[in-house]
Amino acid sequence: MDRTFVMIKPDGIQRGLVGEIISRFEAKGLKLVAARFERLPEGRVIEQYQEHLTKPFFASLKSYIMSGPCFLMVWEGRNVVAIARSLIGATNPQEATPGTIRGDFGIDIGRNVIHGSDSLQSADREIGIHFRQNEPVTYTRIDESIIYEY
Ligand code: DAT
Ligand code: MG
């Protein structure tokens, strides 16, 4: 099983979308293994968005992410990185397909509700930024034997 890092951004919190978003991941059959509600310190925002440090939008991205609490999660499942990205939708909510989280709940690219790691390598890196190594909990969901064929 793989793990990915998913984070509901401050606009998602302010708009009361936490329950709706978690429900979509749960209903898909993915397993929540870690979660924390917090306002991110600057250092971890910089680490999280390392690849975007030199982009013109970085300053506004950083202040948006730090503008309020975020809900940080680790989700587990077979091929979970790609599945989470497909539930989340395209980066720009105006281009995101209806039915995806960004397609259903966003308009501006700078207020796109949620983050999801883009590869297994990013997922490992991002989980490591935000969670202690022993923080994700190992357990079996009772419906795993019927969600997965093998
Ligand atoms: P994603 O979040 O889909 O992985 P990304 O890694 O390319 O997208 O960018 C990280 C975040 O930065 C994205 O969720 C919103 C913001 N962002 C990206 N491109 C942007 C742009 N052209 N203008 C403003 N914000 C942007
Ligand atoms: Mg990204």
Side-chain angles (χ1 to χ4, degrees), residues 22-41:
I22 291 177
S23 291
R24 291 183 179 208
F25 282 78
E26 285 182 326
K28 182 68 176 170
L30 300 172
K31 180 163 64 180
L32 182 64
V33 296
R36 194 178 328 111
F37 186 71
E38 63 175 344
R39 192 189 288 261
L40 288 190

Side-chain angles (χ1 to χ4, degrees), residues 1 7 10 18 21 24 27 30 58 63 75 92 97 108 149:
M1 290 293 163
M7 181 175 89
V18 173
I21 289 169
R24 291 183 179 208
L30 300 172
F58 182 73
S63 63
W75 287 89
N92 186 342
T97 310
D108 277 353
E149 182 184 1

